[in-house]
C-alpha cells in the first residue's frame, strides 16, 4: 500500500505578545514561507488560519492581517471558497524570474569587485570549504544551503541597497528553485565550477569578468529549468 506524503506545514513558534502581533505574525510567516521547499512537491501549499493561530499562540485577527500584507507582496494568494495558498510560479514565470535575478546579481558582483574588502571576498570561498574534499552531490542538502548563502552574500557585498531590496521578495522563489535544481542531473558539480570562476574573478578585482561569470551562471540555471524543470505550465 503506497504511503501518502505528509502535507507541508509551516515551521512556526508562539509569538511574543509584547510587540505588535501583526508585525510578529508577518515576520514569522514570511520567514517560515521563505524556508519552505515550495517546489519540492506537487501538492499546493494551503495555509490554515486556525492552525496558524494555534501554532503562533495568537488570535486569528493578526494572522489574517499578516496574510493580507504577504498577499500584497506576492508571497500568498487568496482563492475564494478554497483558502490561502503559498504562491508557486509557472515554468515561464520562473525562467523570467531567474533572468531578472541574473541581471541584478551580476551588477551586484560587478560592484562587489570594486567595493568589497579582500577579507569579505575571501569569505566567499569559506562558504564551500567543507566541500573541498567531498563532491557536492554527496551532501546535496548542505551544498544547497551553502549555494544560497553564496548568492545572498554577493548581493550584500555589492553594497547597493536598492538591489538588496529588489531581490528580497524574489529570494523566496530563487531559494526554492536552486534547492530543487541542484539535486538534478550534474547541477551541483557545474555549480561548484561556476562558483570557483566567480570567486577568482572577484579576487582579481575583475569587475566585468565577475559580472559576466555571475550572469552566465544564473542564465545557465534558466536553461536548465527550461530543459529539465518540472513546474506547472501556464
Amino acid at each position: 500500500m503506497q504511503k501518502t506524503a505528509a502535507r507541508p506545514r509551516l515551521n512556526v513558534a508562539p509569538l511574543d505578545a509584547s510587540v505588535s502581533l501583526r508585525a510578529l505574525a508577518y515576520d514569522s510567516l514570511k520567514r517560515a514561507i521563505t524556508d519552505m521547499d515550495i517546489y519540492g512537491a506537487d501538492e499546493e501549499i494551503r495555509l490554515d488560519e486556525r492552525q496558524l493561530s494555534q501554532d503562533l499562540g495568537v488570535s486569528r485577527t493578526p494572522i489574517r492581517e499578516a496574510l493580507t500584507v504577504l498577499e500584497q507582496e506576492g508571497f500568498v494568494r487568496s482563492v475564494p471558497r478554497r483558502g490561502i495558498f503559498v504562491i508557486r510560479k509557472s515554468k515561464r514565470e520562473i525562467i523570467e524570474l531567474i533572468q531578472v535575478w541574473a541581471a541584478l546579481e551580476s551588477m551586484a558582483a560587478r560592484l562587489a569587485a570594486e567595493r568589497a574588502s579582500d577579507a569579505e571576498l575571501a569569505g566567499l570561498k569559506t562558504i564551500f570549504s567543507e566541500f573541498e574534499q567531498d563532491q557536492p552531490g554527496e551532501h546535496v542538502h548542505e551544498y544547497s544551503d551553502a549555494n544560497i548563502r553564496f548568492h545572498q552574500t554577493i548581493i550584500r557585498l555589492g553594497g547597493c541597497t536598492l538591489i538588496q531590496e529588489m531581490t528580497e521578495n524574489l529570494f523566496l522563489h530563487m531559494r526554492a528553485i536552486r534547492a530543487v535544481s541542484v539535486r538534478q542531473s550534474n547541477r551541483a558539480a557545474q555549480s561548484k565550477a561556476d562558483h570557483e570562476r566567480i570567486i577568482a574573478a572577484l579576487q582579481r578585482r575583475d569587475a566585468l569578468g565577475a559580472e559576466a561569470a555571475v550572469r552566465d551562471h544564473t542564465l545557465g540555471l534558466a536553461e536548465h529549468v527550461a530543459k529539465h524543470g518540472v513546474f506547472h505550465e501556464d
Side-chain angles (χ1 to χ4, degrees):
M1 181 177 178
Q2 186 176 5
K3 292 185 177 179
T4 302
R7 177 175 296 178
R9 181 172 169 180
L10 293 183
N11 182 20
V12 295
L15 301 178
D16 178 0
S18 64
V19 185
S20 163
L21 291 180
R22 185 184 73 173
L24 286 171
Y26 166 82
D27 289 340
S28 180
L29 291 174
K30 184 174 181 178
R31 183 168 56 252
I33 292 171
T34 302
D35 287 344
M36 292 186 80
D37 185 0
I38 64 173
Y39 295 105
D42 293 335
E43 182 182 358
E44 288 187 298
I45 302 170
R46 183 178 179 276
L47 304 184
D48 186 326
E49 284 186 11
R50 182 180 302 171
Q51 185 63 57
L52 291 173
S53 175
Q54 293 176 4
D55 292 342
L56 293 172
V58 297
S59 72
R60 294 172 70 171
T61 298
I63 301 295
R64 194 171 295 117
E65 292 172 344
L67 289 172
T68 297
V69 177
L70 289 168
E71 183 168 20
Q72 292 169 350
E73 293 182 344
F75 285 90
V76 301
R77 60 187 172 89
S78 177
V79 181
R81 295 182 295 279
R82 289 191 61 207
I84 297 174
F85 297 82
V86 175
I87 285 180
R88 299 196 297 182
K89 303 290 189 182
S90 69
K91 189 171 185 176
R92 176 188 59 79
E93 290 172 327
I94 286 170
I95 292 171
E96 290 179 354
L97 186 151
I98 296 171
Q99 291 167 341
V100 170
W101 185 280
L104 294 171
E105 189 184 355
S106 62
M107 177 53 71
R110 180 173 181 168
L111 295 172
E114 299 169 350
R115 299 176 176 179
S117 68
D118 291 343
E120 286 174 326
L121 295 179
L124 284 169
K125 197 163 189 177
T126 65
I127 293 174
F128 299 105
S129 58
E130 63 183 290
F131 306 104
E132 289 179 356
Q133 302 300 323
D134 299 330
Q135 291 299 315
E138 297 174 7
H139 307 280
V140 68
H141 294 292
E142 294 85 353
Y143 182 79
S144 177
D145 290 341
N147 178 38
I148 291 158
R149 288 198 306 275
F150 176 80
H151 292 285
Q152 285 182 298
T153 302
I154 288 178
I155 295 288
R156 179 176 57 80
L157 293 183
C160 178
T161 302
L162 184 56
I163 290 179
Q164 294 180 54
E165 292 174 351
M166 292 174 71
T167 55
E168 182 179 354
N169 286 353
L170 297 178
F171 177 67
L172 163 66
H173 299 282
M174 285 300 300
R175 178 189 182 280
I177 293 161
R178 288 190 186 279
V180 170
S181 299
V182 80
R183 298 194 292 264
Q184 299 172 334
S185 185
N186 66 339
R187 280 297 300 174
Q190 180 64 52
S191 172
K192 182 180 179 182
D194 288 350
H195 291 160
E196 290 171 354
R197 283 192 290 272
I198 292 167
I199 293 171
L202 286 167
Q203 292 185 320
R204 291 195 308 269
R205 300 291 177 174
D206 179 0
L208 293 179
E211 180 180 25
V214 168
R215 183 175 58 248
D216 292 346
H217 170 64
T218 306
L219 291 179
L221 175 61
E223 292 176 5
H224 176 83
V225 168
K227 292 179 181 178
H228 307 291
V230 182
F231 304 100
H232 77 270
E233 304 289 347
D234 288 332

